[in-house]
Amino acid sequence: MRTADEMYNYAKENGYGTGLTKGWSKKHFKVLENNLRKGEEVYMTFIGFKDMAGVSHDNTYAYAITNERIMMGQKKLIGENFISVVLDNINDISLNKKLAYGILTFDTIKETFNVGVIKNISQNILEESSRIIFDMRKGNLSGVGASKGSEDTKGPTDPVDELRKYKEL
């Protein structure tokens, strides 16, 4: 995924939130699209309220987990907000279910931020985002979000062949 439309459609198709309106949600994802780096690939997207604490929050943001970082983007009437956190800086992700919302807490080296999402999808977002981050840290990109179906087809290597290769070096 690289475009705002693809990111929005992924979130919608997987039930990871659609925001208040389709138009504004796509504008939030456009902030993320504009900040993608060359070679950066988006594996998961969702919509939620940033810095959710009780009933107050910083309104709707689009979120993306890439092969490098978690990105957060919000388009405003004037200007935009963009934040990113390198995956290696994430210590933990936890979930606290409230009456109507689930609060995902991302604990990082520098700060903790909370994301409010609809309660019935909060567990799915927690599990998928945790799995992606764990797979990234282990260097296992196969089966992650947008890469499903692109698994490595190489079978196990023969130790004798490997020794021959090292000897030739």
Side-chain angles (χ1 to χ4, degrees), residues 111-129:
E111 65 181 324
T112 298
F113 63 92
N114 297 310
V115 179
V117 295
I118 297 170
K119 184 178 180 178
N120 64 350
I121 64 171
S122 60
Q123 187 68 39
N124 295 342
I125 293 174
L126 171 70
E127 290 172 5
E128 184 69 2
S129 58

Side-chain angles (χ1 to χ4, degrees), residues 3-5 7 24-36 62 75 80:
T3 69
D5 284 336
M7 289 185 245
W24 273 104
S25 295
K26 285 188 175 185
K27 288 177 184 180
H28 298 325
F29 281 117
K30 187 69 174 174
V31 172
L32 301 183
E33 176 186 334
N34 292 339
N35 284 282
L36 281 172
K75 180 66 177 166
E80 63 187 36

Side-chain angles (χ1 to χ4, degrees), residues 48-67:
F49 295 111
K50 184 178 174 295
D51 291 332
M52 184 93 172
V55 293
S56 65
H57 52 77
D58 285 344
N59 292 318
T60 305
Y61 273 69
Y63 296 84
I65 300 178
T66 75
N67 56 326

